[in-house]
Short mmCIF file of all heavy atoms in Angstrom, two decimals:
data_model
loop_
_atom_site.label_atom_id
_atom_site.label_comp_id
_atom_site.label_asym_id
_atom_site.label_seq_id
_atom_site.Cartn_x
_atom_site.Cartn_y
_atom_site.Cartn_z
N GLY A 169 -5.87 -1.86 8.77
CA GLY A 169 -6.53 -3.17 8.75
C GLY A 169 -7.43 -3.37 7.55
O GLY A 169 -7.48 -4.43 6.83
N ALA A 170 -8.19 -2.25 7.20
CA ALA A 170 -9.05 -2.36 6.05
C ALA A 170 -8.25 -2.51 4.75
O ALA A 170 -8.57 -3.20 3.84
CB ALA A 170 -9.96 -1.09 6.01
N ALA A 171 -7.17 -1.67 4.69
CA ALA A 171 -6.28 -1.70 3.48
C ALA A 171 -5.74 -3.12 3.25
O ALA A 171 -5.76 -3.65 2.14
CB ALA A 171 -5.16 -0.68 3.64
N LYS A 172 -5.25 -3.75 4.34
CA LYS A 172 -4.74 -5.12 4.21
C LYS A 172 -5.75 -6.09 3.82
O LYS A 172 -5.54 -7.00 2.93
CB LYS A 172 -4.06 -5.55 5.51
CG LYS A 172 -2.77 -4.82 5.84
CD LYS A 172 -2.08 -5.42 7.12
CE LYS A 172 -0.75 -4.81 7.33
NZ LYS A 172 -0.06 -5.38 8.54
N ARG A 173 -6.99 -5.92 4.35
CA ARG A 173 -8.03 -6.89 4.00
C ARG A 173 -8.43 -6.82 2.60
O ARG A 173 -8.58 -7.82 1.83
CB ARG A 173 -9.26 -6.68 4.91
CG ARG A 173 -10.28 -7.72 4.78
CD ARG A 173 -11.40 -7.50 5.76
NE ARG A 173 -12.52 -8.37 5.62
CZ ARG A 173 -13.61 -8.33 6.18
NH1 ARG A 173 -13.90 -7.47 7.07
NH2 ARG A 173 -14.57 -9.27 5.94
N LEU A 174 -8.56 -5.53 2.07
CA LEU A 174 -8.90 -5.36 0.62
C LEU A 174 -7.88 -5.86 -0.29
O LEU A 174 -8.22 -6.46 -1.32
CB LEU A 174 -9.10 -3.83 0.40
CG LEU A 174 -10.36 -3.20 0.97
CD1 LEU A 174 -10.19 -1.69 1.04
CD2 LEU A 174 -11.60 -3.60 0.23
N THR A 175 -6.64 -5.74 0.02
CA THR A 175 -5.60 -6.16 -0.80
C THR A 175 -5.28 -7.68 -0.76
O THR A 175 -5.23 -8.34 -1.76
CB THR A 175 -4.32 -5.32 -0.64
OG1 THR A 175 -3.88 -5.38 0.74
CG2 THR A 175 -4.50 -3.84 -0.98
N GLU A 176 -5.18 -8.15 0.42
CA GLU A 176 -4.83 -9.56 0.65
C GLU A 176 -5.93 -10.47 0.10
O GLU A 176 -5.61 -11.56 -0.50
CB GLU A 176 -4.60 -9.83 2.12
CG GLU A 176 -3.28 -9.18 2.65
CD GLU A 176 -3.06 -9.48 4.13
OE1 GLU A 176 -3.94 -10.10 4.72
OE2 GLU A 176 -2.04 -9.05 4.75
N GLU A 177 -7.12 -10.17 0.23
CA GLU A 177 -8.21 -10.99 -0.29
C GLU A 177 -8.32 -11.01 -1.82
O GLU A 177 -8.92 -11.95 -2.40
CB GLU A 177 -9.55 -10.58 0.34
CG GLU A 177 -9.75 -10.82 1.82
CD GLU A 177 -9.63 -12.29 2.15
OE1 GLU A 177 -10.21 -13.08 1.44
OE2 GLU A 177 -8.95 -12.65 3.15
N THR A 178 -7.70 -10.04 -2.46
CA THR A 178 -7.86 -9.93 -3.88
C THR A 178 -6.50 -10.18 -4.66
O THR A 178 -6.45 -10.18 -5.81
CB THR A 178 -8.44 -8.55 -4.33
OG1 THR A 178 -7.48 -7.51 -3.89
CG2 THR A 178 -9.73 -8.30 -3.71
N GLY A 179 -5.43 -10.37 -3.84
CA GLY A 179 -4.16 -10.73 -4.52
C GLY A 179 -3.28 -9.47 -4.70
O GLY A 179 -2.24 -9.59 -5.44
N GLY A 180 -3.60 -8.31 -4.06
CA GLY A 180 -2.78 -7.21 -4.17
C GLY A 180 -1.92 -6.91 -2.95
O GLY A 180 -1.73 -7.75 -2.12
N ARG A 181 -1.47 -5.69 -2.85
CA ARG A 181 -0.54 -5.34 -1.69
C ARG A 181 -0.74 -3.95 -1.30
O ARG A 181 -1.28 -3.11 -2.05
CB ARG A 181 0.89 -5.58 -2.02
CG ARG A 181 1.44 -4.81 -3.15
CD ARG A 181 2.81 -5.29 -3.63
NE ARG A 181 3.84 -5.04 -2.66
CZ ARG A 181 4.93 -4.38 -2.86
NH1 ARG A 181 5.17 -3.81 -3.98
NH2 ARG A 181 5.87 -4.32 -1.91
N VAL A 182 -0.37 -3.68 -0.08
CA VAL A 182 -0.43 -2.33 0.54
C VAL A 182 0.98 -1.81 0.58
O VAL A 182 1.91 -2.48 1.04
CB VAL A 182 -1.02 -2.31 1.94
CG1 VAL A 182 -0.97 -0.87 2.47
CG2 VAL A 182 -2.44 -2.90 1.93
N ILE A 183 1.15 -0.58 0.15
CA ILE A 183 2.47 0.11 0.31
C ILE A 183 2.22 1.44 1.11
O ILE A 183 1.43 2.29 0.63
CB ILE A 183 3.11 0.48 -1.05
CG1 ILE A 183 3.30 -0.82 -1.93
CG2 ILE A 183 4.49 1.18 -0.80
CD1 ILE A 183 3.85 -0.50 -3.26
N SER A 184 2.85 1.52 2.24
CA SER A 184 2.66 2.78 3.04
C SER A 184 3.57 3.81 2.60
O SER A 184 4.73 3.60 2.25
CB SER A 184 2.97 2.43 4.57
OG SER A 184 2.11 1.52 5.11
N VAL A 185 2.92 5.03 2.47
CA VAL A 185 3.68 6.19 1.85
C VAL A 185 3.68 7.35 2.83
O VAL A 185 2.59 7.66 3.40
CB VAL A 185 2.96 6.60 0.55
CG1 VAL A 185 3.68 7.81 -0.07
CG2 VAL A 185 2.95 5.48 -0.50
N SER A 186 4.82 7.82 3.03
CA SER A 186 4.99 8.96 4.04
C SER A 186 5.44 10.20 3.45
O SER A 186 5.47 11.28 4.15
CB SER A 186 5.98 8.59 5.21
OG SER A 186 7.16 8.27 4.62
N SER A 187 5.83 10.25 2.15
CA SER A 187 6.24 11.47 1.50
C SER A 187 5.97 11.40 -0.02
O SER A 187 5.68 10.31 -0.55
CB SER A 187 7.74 11.69 1.71
OG SER A 187 8.51 10.69 1.05
N GLU A 188 6.16 12.49 -0.71
CA GLU A 188 5.81 12.55 -2.15
C GLU A 188 6.88 11.69 -2.85
O GLU A 188 6.60 11.07 -3.85
CB GLU A 188 5.81 14.01 -2.62
CG GLU A 188 4.59 14.76 -2.19
CD GLU A 188 4.47 16.11 -2.84
OE1 GLU A 188 5.18 16.38 -3.89
OE2 GLU A 188 3.59 16.94 -2.40
N LYS A 189 8.13 11.76 -2.38
CA LYS A 189 9.18 10.93 -3.00
C LYS A 189 8.82 9.45 -2.88
O LYS A 189 8.97 8.72 -3.82
CB LYS A 189 10.51 11.18 -2.33
CG LYS A 189 11.67 10.38 -2.94
CD LYS A 189 13.04 10.75 -2.28
CE LYS A 189 14.15 9.90 -2.88
NZ LYS A 189 15.43 10.26 -2.16
N LYS A 190 8.37 8.99 -1.74
CA LYS A 190 8.05 7.61 -1.53
C LYS A 190 6.80 7.23 -2.31
O LYS A 190 6.58 6.07 -2.73
CB LYS A 190 7.85 7.32 -0.07
CG LYS A 190 9.20 7.31 0.72
CD LYS A 190 9.02 6.84 2.09
CE LYS A 190 10.38 6.78 2.82
NZ LYS A 190 10.29 6.30 4.24
N LEU A 191 5.99 8.21 -2.54
CA LEU A 191 4.70 7.96 -3.33
C LEU A 191 5.07 7.59 -4.78
O LEU A 191 4.60 6.64 -5.35
CB LEU A 191 3.81 9.23 -3.37
CG LEU A 191 2.56 9.14 -4.19
CD1 LEU A 191 1.64 8.05 -3.64
CD2 LEU A 191 1.75 10.48 -4.19
N ALA A 192 6.07 8.29 -5.36
CA ALA A 192 6.58 7.98 -6.71
C ALA A 192 7.20 6.61 -6.76
O ALA A 192 6.91 5.88 -7.69
CB ALA A 192 7.52 9.04 -7.18
N GLN A 193 7.93 6.28 -5.71
CA GLN A 193 8.62 4.99 -5.56
C GLN A 193 7.52 3.82 -5.55
O GLN A 193 7.70 2.83 -6.13
CB GLN A 193 9.52 4.93 -4.47
CG GLN A 193 10.77 5.80 -4.55
CD GLN A 193 11.57 5.91 -3.31
OE1 GLN A 193 11.12 5.38 -2.26
NE2 GLN A 193 12.77 6.44 -3.39
N ALA A 194 6.41 4.18 -4.78
CA ALA A 194 5.39 3.17 -4.60
C ALA A 194 4.72 2.87 -5.91
O ALA A 194 4.43 1.68 -6.26
CB ALA A 194 4.39 3.61 -3.52
#
């Protein structure tokens, strides 16, 4: 909830990451 609020109010986005491979993709 906090992540979405910080990003949505400023024009950014949240990307959920579950592994190091997905971190690089994010």
Side-chain angles (χ1 to χ4, degrees):
K172 286 186 175 180
R173 188 175 175 189
L174 287 164
T175 55
E176 290 178 357
E177 291 298 316
T178 62
R181 61 192 294 238
V182 178
I183 303 178
S184 294
V185 176
S186 58
S187 67
E188 289 189 12
K189 180 179 179 181
K190 289 188 176 180
L191 179 62
Q193 292 174 348

